[in-house]
Structures are given as structure tokens and as C-alpha cells.
Amino acid sequence: MPTPIKLSSRKDYESFLEKFDTFLLDCDGVLWHGNTLLPGVREVLALLRQKGKRLIFVTNNSAKSRASYSLKFKKLNIEANENEIFGSAYITAYYLKNILKFPKEKKIYVIGESGITEELDLEGIRFCGSSEDNDGNDIDFNNIYPDPTVGAVLCGLDTRINYKKIAKAFNYLYSNPDCLFLLTNDDSTIPYNGTLYPGTGSLVAPLIKSLNRNPDAVMGKPNKPMMDCITNEFQLDVERTCMIGDRLDTDIQFGINGKLKTLLVLTGVSKEHDILIENAPIVPDYYLPSLGDLSELCK
Ligand SMILES: O=C(O)[C@H](O)[C@H](O)COP(=O)(O)O
């Protein structure tokens, strides 16, 4: 496995940027933690735009729709067109509609937030669950029963997860072997406020354990549906495209799977020792303490 190249000087930054026309950029842990932009990021993104680079934002965070992410970028004073934003909620709705051809007469039970329900709505896909099961009332098991019209259970990031949601999702999957079990992504953690919290992959562990069943499909990085959705909208020259991420097993693996070059930044989940240990399973082409370090070129 080749040794990753650490970018550490102005000369390194300049020659790195000259190699690529397109950058795929992860969001949580690269651009921001929650609603806090990481230092230097705004300047670097503006620099990349000035240099005529194409930017594509690729996030496994399904809590927001494409439109809501577009609003978030605007509030953070970052230029980003909606068609440059690929969130796992958007690609999941796209995949259900165009690839899985999800039947119109069926509906989806959702564990997740408005990102998912807004994108399903836009594709005309019926759903139930999500915030309607947020309530903190005692569970009434008589209110949980098989429903053959539920054709899939879809799980994404849900900061209002509760026993009732897991029990209803379990019920639909346990009572109907034809019911699909889908995840927007399976990140084990989410970088937030300089630390980590349980991510989507950890929230669905109770379902996997209790059903003794793995999901039928996971949409987000490092998986193919995310890349298929991007390449359906953008022609990528893989030799001149670089994936920038903070997480080895999603972002960097996603870039490797897509035959892209990869840059790991250390402001999120993965750390320098993860790539310098002997026989590291996943290694980026380049790495850098933070994306903001490239703002050295703005001076
Ligand atoms: O769903 C999750 O676990 C998180 O939203 C995910 O870790 C963040 O996605 P990213 O922007 O890093 O792809």
C-alpha cells in the first residue's frame, strides 16, 4: 500500500490544486461541525471557485434535503448551487424512484428526519413514520401491527430515535419478508462540536441485532448509488477529480471505489495514526491537518 503524501507547504498546496479540475467535498467533519464552519473553509472554497474548480458536495447526512442544504450554505455565506449538493436523502429518493422503481401503491416506513421526508415527497413516494412517531408516550403494542402496504423500511440519521420507531420498523420487516430494509448510510459516528456522536449505522444496530438481518441496500458513501447519482448528473474525469473527506471507511473508500484521487483531512473522524500504521486497510493519496490549511494560498 503506497504511503500517503502529507501536504505541508505552499508549494505542496499549489501543485496539489493544479492536478485537479473537480473536487468532491464531504461536509460533516471537512466543512463544518454541525452549524459551525471550520476555520479557513470559506476562504478555501472561494479560492477554488476563483481558480475555476468544479465543486460537488457529497454528504451522508440525511437530516437535510438538497434544498435545506442549499439554505445552510447560503446562511454560511458559501456559494453552492443546489445541483452541486448530493445528500444521502436526495440520492435515496432518486434511487427508489429511478433504479428500484418503488411501487406507487406501496409506502415507506421512515426512521429519520425532514431531509428524507422532503426528498421522498419531491419524488412522489408515499411514506409514514418519521416525526409522527417522535412522541414520548408509552408504547401501545396494540397499535403496532403488520401492514403489507409498507414496502420498505428506510433508516437515516434520527436524533429523535426511540423504542416505538425501532419496534414499528422491526414489526414491518419481521412480519413481511418482502419488505426492503434500506439505509441512507451506515456511518458509525458523526463528527460534531469537535467530538463524535453515534451515527446512522449505530442507530440501526438494534434492528440488525433483533432481526438478525443486514440491510438490503445502503445508499451513501462508500456505496455505488451515491456515485451513480453524481455521474448521472456530472461527467467526471477520474484522473482530474479528487475526493476530500475526513472518514477513511466512507469518504476515502468512496473515492477509491470511484478510481478518484483522495485527500484525507484530520478535522473529523479519522486520524494520522489510522493511515500511518503498518498494513493500514484504507490509505488516501494525500492528507492534510485541515482543509482550511489551503487558505495559506489566499495570502
Ligand atoms: O448519518 C450520519 O451518521 C452522519 O450524518 C454522517 O456521519 C455525516 O455525513 P458526512 O457529511 O460526513 O458524509
Side-chain angles (χ1 to χ4, degrees):
M1 189 72 88
T3 308
I5 300 166
K6 184 172 186 177
L7 303 177
S8 54
S9 69
R10 191 185 177 87
K11 188 167 169 293
D12 288 350
Y13 303 158
E14 281 163 350
S15 63
F16 168 75
L17 291 185
E18 279 160 17
K19 290 179 172 56
F20 305 107
D21 305 321
T22 302
F23 291 96
L24 272 58
L25 294 128
D26 172 46
C27 298
D28 290 342
V30 171
L31 304 184
W32 54 58
H33 277 204
N35 292 317
T36 307
L37 208 56
L38 290 170
V41 164
R42 183 179 294 111
E43 294 79 358
V44 171
L45 295 180
L47 173 73
L48 295 178
R49 295 283 192 193
Q50 282 156 23
K51 288 180 173 291
K53 306 299 183 184
R54 186 167 57 171
L55 306 183
I56 297 173
F57 301 98
V58 191
T59 177
N60 275 0
N61 191 320
S62 61
K64 289 186 187 315
S65 62
R66 222 181 196 191
S68 298
Y69 270 116
S70 181
L71 211 56
K72 176 170 183 174
F73 276 104
K74 202 169 276 152
K75 283 182 182 163
L76 291 169
N77 195 17
I78 295 177
E79 182 196 342
N81 303 312
E82 196 167 312
N83 71 349
E84 295 173 324
I85 303 168
F86 291 81
S88 59
Y90 169 72
I91 61 130
T92 300
Y94 170 90
Y95 195 81
L96 281 160
K97 174 89 175 190
N98 300 294
I99 311 298
L100 288 180
K101 311 279 188 206
F102 190 76
K104 282 198 174 312
E105 68 279 7
K106 298 278 187 181
K107 64 184 178 229
I108 295 182
Y109 181 74
V110 176
I111 291 182
E113 302 185 11
S114 59
I116 294 175
T117 55
E118 286 170 20
E119 296 290 2
L120 291 178
D121 247 348
L122 285 172
E123 291 289 6
I125 297 172
R126 295 166 58 220
F127 61 86
C128 56
S130 187
S131 57
E132 77 190 19
D133 287 332
N134 277 352
D135 64 39
N137 302 330
D138 289 346
I139 190 139
D140 173 1
F141 286 102
N142 299 318
N143 248 344
I144 300 181
Y145 39 79
D147 179 347
T149 67
V150 174
V153 165
L154 172 59
C155 305
L157 186 65
D158 189 334
T159 55
R160 304 283 294 272
I161 190 80
N162 59 38
Y163 182 84
K164 179 180 181 183
K165 292 181 179 183
I166 295 168
K168 289 180 84 169
F170 174 90
N171 161 66
Y172 295 129
L173 290 163
Y174 185 68
S175 60
N176 174 7
D178 295 330
C179 183
L180 289 174
F181 181 16
L182 306 173
L183 304 188
T184 59
N185 63 298
D186 60 359
D187 301 53
S188 57
T189 55
I190 175 172
Y192 203 98
N193 279 358
T195 181
L196 299 175
Y197 291 95
T200 304
S202 301
L203 301 184
V204 297
L207 272 179
I208 293 171
K209 175 80 173 173
S210 54
L211 289 161
N212 189 27
R213 174 179 172 184
N214 288 318
D216 299 305
V218 182
M219 302 292 150
K221 300 167 287 183
N223 304 292
K224 198 169 176 301
M226 178 69 94
M227 188 60 81
D228 288 350
C229 195
I230 294 168
T231 52
N232 182 59
E233 297 190 25
F234 291 96
Q235 285 295 320
L236 297 182
D237 174 352
V238 294
E239 292 302 320
R240 301 275 305 164
T241 302
C242 184
M243 172 73 206
I244 301 178
D246 70 287
R247 193 182 178 111
L248 287 167
D249 64 352
T250 55
D251 304 322
I252 303 306
Q253 189 61 59
F254 178 68
I256 292 167
N257 294 348
K259 303 202 179 349
L260 311 181
K261 293 297 181 200
T262 56
L263 167 71
L264 176 74
V265 295
L266 306 178
T267 44
V269 173
S270 298
K271 298 305 171 195
E272 191 170 25
H273 63 77
D274 297 322
I275 56 176
L276 298 184
I277 51 170
E278 205 176 335
N279 302 324
I282 304 170
V283 173
D285 295 288
Y286 305 94
Y287 74 102
L288 186 61
S290 80
L291 182 66
D293 288 6
L294 296 179
S295 62
E296 175 70 24
L297 298 177
C298 304
K299 292 166 186 158

